[in-house]
């Protein structure tokens, strides 16, 4: 059982009541009363806070009382003596748990006071915590043992900042080799997955905030995100893991659509955002970390900017299977790890784009000899150029970095031109494969509106927002439009099939996407 613990970081008792009410309504399974946030902190005030909280809960709801040292992330500089008195008072007032810093517990006089308070309370327990806000612990396993030795009945809590997703594996390894009540996770955006996976490892708790404003640590998710987006309630030891590897990935709708479909299909699967900063070496290290730990349960990945080509290279190196289409495109957007550990790589962008274009034109045959302009020469452009060239369109690639456009054009035996040549545009099909116009720069368009003509088909691969400025301008000019959302749902359905063997449900994906956007 992993508690979903919500920190209550209120400055006064009135505010605390509000926060507690909201946390309970959102499904908190445990509350952490962060008394270090309270103004004019006193022992009786904490007693009242605990009593109010228990009354508001109206059910058995465990409470942790924390009065964090400023040096370990506390909100205010309360004197150590007051902080210990608060914890002792909290035990007397019925708190099930107190959280005290292991470093301070190590000092004999502090330890004595805490031990006396614990023995007088009878049922109260202690969480002994260690935090590193900068980086990984030098030796997390040794620190864990030291905490256990200092007070075997304590629940060890080890929390550190992951500066890269690869830093999370120290936490996972420790969770894997230990059992019972322990709290181990990483802070920061790169540590996000460790907060979700705490449940898969049967950790004692994971924290989630009421909303983004009340988060008490970097990278903390909200209860809503954890429960809705990351299927928290259904995670268990056997849950198979998937995710989108990219940088950035925070904006990706992959977790929203795939988790919605996993939920709809009743699959014991979870899809995570996997922020892999850096290039090929970091990608390789990440995949190496995953493959060395079969017990993590990762079974597949979507791959996005900037790793689609790194993924192809990696699977080739590992002598995995690469579908011919992905080889031809030169980019992989899907990796599957089979039950016996084999790696398989695919590209579902191709079929996703083709279906989106064909459904607007009536058929793929409509592309034959059609003059087509592709703006951009990155990962998504590769798949799009392959689609339109294969279908016999007369393709010109326009790219900001002209050399890159020329290189892609040479690979697919089509033409390339610099961006300013768009003023002579004669194409019937125009496809934006750049990120121009994507959230948050939604007032940008990759092409001046006067170049868009009536009767053109304009396809924007950008899907956030679903209707970009380019698509609005195209509609105004009397052109037909294709939204990136259509391609996104098509390619995600292709991935879902590879991940589960079942067809994805475009309706479920579309609804999840629309409500997220
Ligand atoms: P990428 O590999 O990083 O390529 C980005 C492309 O955009 C490059 O050609 C780049 O030109 C160009 N570019 C970036 N900023 C520009 C600017 N300010 N002006 C002109 N050109 C600019 O990215 P990608 O993976 O191809 O993704 C591109 C877009 O496709 C993303 O925004 C994403 O929303 C969309 N996408 C959609 C789907 C879908 O299913 N609908 C799937 C994947 C991606 P340089 O070569 O000069 O840098």
């Amino acid at each position: 059982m992993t508690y979903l613990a919500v920190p209550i970081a209120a400055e006064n008792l009135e505010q605390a009541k509000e926060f507690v009410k909201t946390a309970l309504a959102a499904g908190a399974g445990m509350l952490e009363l962060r008394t270090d946030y309270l103004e004019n902190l006193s022992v009786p005030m904490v007693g009242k806070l605990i009593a109010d909280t228990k009354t508001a809960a109206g059910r058995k709801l465990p409470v942790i009382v924390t009065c964090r040292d400023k040096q370990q992330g506390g909100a205010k500089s309360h004197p150590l003596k007051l902080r210990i008195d608060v914890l002792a008072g909290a035990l007397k007032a019925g708190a099930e748990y107190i959280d005290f810093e292991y470093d301070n517990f190590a000092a004999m006089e502090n330890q004595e006071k805490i031990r006396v308070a614990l023995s007088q309370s009878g049922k109260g327990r202690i969480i002994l915590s260690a935090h590193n806000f900068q980086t990984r612990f030098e030796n997390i396993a040794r620190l864990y043992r030291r905490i256990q030795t200092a007070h075997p009945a304590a629940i060890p809590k080890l929390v550190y900042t992951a500066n890269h997703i690869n830093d999370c594996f120290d936490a996972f390894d420790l969770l894997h080799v230990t059992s019972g009540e322990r709290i181990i996770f990483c802070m920061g955006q790169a540590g996000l997955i460790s907060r979700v996976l705490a449940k898969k490892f049967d950790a004692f708790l994971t924290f989630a905030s009421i909303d983004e404003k009340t988060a008490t640590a970097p990278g903390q998710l909200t209860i809503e995100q954890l429960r809705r987006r990351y299927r928290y309630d259904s995670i268990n030891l056997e849950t198979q893991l998937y995710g989108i590897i990219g940088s950035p990935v925070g904006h990706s709708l992959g977790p929203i659509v795939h988790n919605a479909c996993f939920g709809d299909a009743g699959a014991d699967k979870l899809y995570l955002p996997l922020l892999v900063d850096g290039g090929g070496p970091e990608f390789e290290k990440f995949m190496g970390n995953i493959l060395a730990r079969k017990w993590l349960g990762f079974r597949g990945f979507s791959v996005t900017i900037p790793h689609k080509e790194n993924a192809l290279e990696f699977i080739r190196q590992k002598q995995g299977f690469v579908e011919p289409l992905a080889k031809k495109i030169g980019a992989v957007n899907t990796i599957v790890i089979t039950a016996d550990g084999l790696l398989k790589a695919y590209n579902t962008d191709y079929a996703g784009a083709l279906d989106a274009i064909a459904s607007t034109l009536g058929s793929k045959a409509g592309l034959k000899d059609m003059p087509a302009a592709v703006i951009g020469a990155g990962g998504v452009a590769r798949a799009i150029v392959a689609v339109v060239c294969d279908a016999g369109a007369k393709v010109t690639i326009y790219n900001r970095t002209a050399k890159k456009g020329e290189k892609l054009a040479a690979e697919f035996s089509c033409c390339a031109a610099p961006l300013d040549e768009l003023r002579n545009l004669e194409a019937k099909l125009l496809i934006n494969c750049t990120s121009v116009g994507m959230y948050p720069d939604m007032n940008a368009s990759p092409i001046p509106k006067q170049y868009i003509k009536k009767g053109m088909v304009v396809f924007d691969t950008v899907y956030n927002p679903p209707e970009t400025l380019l698509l609005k301008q195209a509609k105004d000019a009397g052109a037909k439009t294709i939204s990136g959302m259509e391609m996104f749902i098509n390619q995600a359905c292709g991935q879902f099939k590879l991940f589960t063997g079942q067809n994805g449900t475009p309706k479920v994906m579309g609804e999840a996407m629309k409500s997220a956007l």
Side-chain angles (χ1 to χ4, degrees):
M1 154 104 184
T2 301
Y3 287 106
L4 177 50
V6 177
I8 302 297
E11 293 191 338
N12 55 59
L13 295 185
E14 273 316 297
Q15 194 180 39
K17 269 189 191 163
E18 279 303 304
F19 288 174
V20 167
K21 203 168 128 198
T22 316
L24 293 170
M30 177 181 257
L31 295 177
E32 184 195 31
L33 305 176
R34 284 291 302 264
T35 59
D36 48 301
Y37 280 76
L38 287 170
E39 303 277 5
N40 306 317
L41 175 68
S42 69
V43 176
M45 185 190 240
V46 173
K48 173 102 176 56
L49 174 64
I50 295 168
D52 287 352
T53 304
K54 297 269 173 193
T55 309
R59 60 182 158 103
K60 209 167 165 272
L61 182 91
V63 162
I64 306 171
V65 171
T66 301
C67 195
R68 180 70 66 235
D69 190 344
K70 179 100 169 130
Q71 287 181 355
Q72 292 211 27
K76 296 187 171 61
S77 289
H78 300 298
L80 179 61
K81 178 175 179 318
L82 174 61
R83 293 196 302 106
I84 293 176
D85 287 350
V86 160
L87 297 183
L91 288 170
K92 270 197 196 132
E96 284 79 2
Y97 303 94
I98 54 167
D99 177 325
F100 192 49
E101 304 82 33
Y102 164 68
D103 282 351
N104 289 325
F105 185 79
M108 238 353 126
E109 56 176 308
N110 300 337
Q111 196 171 127
E112 278 306 310
K113 289 183 197 162
I114 294 283
R115 283 186 191 279
V116 168
L118 282 168
S119 67
Q120 286 172 350
S121 123
K123 71 176 175 101
R125 307 264 317 269
I126 185 167
I127 296 167
L128 279 180
S129 57
H131 298 85
N132 188 334
F133 283 88
Q134 272 74 46
T135 182
R136 298 154 62 191
F137 290 113
E138 205 178 293
N139 187 334
I140 193 171
R142 188 175 61 201
L143 181 56
Y144 181 85
R145 285 193 299 275
R146 281 188 179 158
I147 295 176
Q148 274 195 319
T149 309
H151 191 57
I155 299 170
K157 176 183 176 196
L158 295 99
V159 179
Y160 63 93
T161 293
N163 293 304
H164 192 279
I165 197 165
N166 283 322
D167 291 347
C168 291
F169 293 94
D170 285 356
F172 296 151
D173 288 345
L174 185 57
L175 282 161
H176 182 58
V177 298
T178 55
S179 58
E181 294 167 323
R182 70 264 191 258
I183 305 166
I184 303 163
F185 64 87
C186 303
M187 293 179 285
Q189 278 313 310
L192 184 150
I193 60 167
S194 69
R195 293 180 180 272
V196 184
L197 293 182
K199 181 135 186 249
K200 183 170 163 71
F201 290 112
D202 201 23
F204 180 64
L205 62 74
T206 192
F207 291 103
S209 60
I210 298 169
D211 55 31
E212 271 148 30
K213 286 198 300 284
T214 56
T216 52
Q220 203 169 77
L221 291 158
T222 65
I223 317 177
E224 158 90 10
Q225 287 167 337
L226 204 51
R227 296 189 68 203
R228 281 250 199 132
R229 188 178 300 176
Y230 299 120
R231 311 192 68 218
Y232 185 78
D233 299 331
S234 67
I235 301 173
N236 64 79
L237 297 172
E238 306 301 325
T239 303
Q240 293 183 341
L241 304 180
Y242 297 81
I244 176 153
I245 302 177
S247 174
V249 284
H251 70 289
S252 171
L253 294 177
I256 290 164
V257 298
H258 282 288
N259 283 328
C261 266
F262 286 156
D264 185 61
D268 188 8
K269 295 177 188 288
L270 167 70
Y271 188 101
L272 294 160
L274 303 166
L275 174 65
V276 179
D277 282 332
E282 287 77 13
F283 178 87
E284 199 175 314
K285 188 165 176 204
F286 174 74
M287 287 302 293
N289 276 324
I290 295 287
L291 296 176
R293 293 168 178 81
K294 205 174 168 211
W295 43 266
L296 274 170
F298 271 97
R299 296 297 296 275
F301 305 95
S302 307
V303 185
T304 188
I305 311 171
H307 293 304
K308 286 185 180 179
E309 291 166 45
N310 299 331
L312 175 64
E313 185 52 35
F314 180 79
I315 306 292
R316 271 189 179 139
Q317 263 179 35
K318 294 283 164 194
Q319 297 178 342
F321 165 80
V322 181
E323 69 164 345
L325 182 64
K327 274 186 201 156
K328 179 169 125 179
I329 299 168
V332 156
N333 85 330
T334 313
I335 297 174
V336 171
I337 305 177
T338 64
D340 38 14
L342 297 178
L343 290 167
K344 295 186 169 183
Y346 305 87
N347 190 308
T348 65
D349 284 338
Y350 183 101
L354 179 59
D355 290 350
I357 298 170
S359 70
T360 301
L361 295 182
S363 77
K364 177 183 164 186
L367 279 166
K368 181 100 180 91
D369 295 327
M370 181 182 269
V374 173
I375 315 180
V380 82
R382 286 197 152 269
I384 295 278
V385 169
V387 166
V388 281
C389 284
D390 279 357
K394 292 180 178 152
V395 180
T396 305
I397 300 168
Y398 299 83
N399 195 45
R400 180 177 60 180
T401 309
K403 278 223 163 77
K404 213 164 124 192
E406 284 158 19
K407 186 167 169 280
L408 185 60
E411 276 179 55
F412 287 90
S413 307
C414 61
C415 302
L419 274 187
D420 57 11
E421 279 298 313
L422 280 168
R423 65 176 181 271
N424 300 318
L425 189 69
E426 292 293 341
K428 288 270 180 292
L429 173 65
L430 172 71
I431 309 176
N432 174 39
C433 296
T434 74
S435 46
V436 180
M438 186 168 85
Y439 174 88
D441 296 318
M442 296 181 299
N443 291 326
S445 171
I447 177 169
K449 64 177 179 194
Q450 60 272 25
Y451 301 165
I452 307 168
K453 308 204 179 76
K454 196 172 172 192
M456 269 183 169
V457 175
V458 178
F459 175 13
D460 198 340
T461 63
V462 172
Y463 57 82
N464 184 7
E467 188 174 63
T468 58
L469 180 61
L470 171 67
L471 293 186
K472 277 187 201 137
Q473 291 174 340
K475 268 189 189 158
D476 290 347
K480 279 191 187 165
T481 59
I482 306 172
S483 160
M485 228 174 116
E486 215 175 307
M487 172 180 166
F488 185 85
I489 291 173
N490 292 344
Q491 64 79 31
C493 281
Q495 294 185 324
F496 191 84
K497 177 104 190 174
L498 291 166
F499 293 157
T500 64
Q502 297 170 28
N503 290 321
T505 320
K507 190 163 171 273
V508 172
M509 290 195 181
E511 278 164 9
M513 239 175 131
K514 276 188 191 136
S515 70
L517 292 172

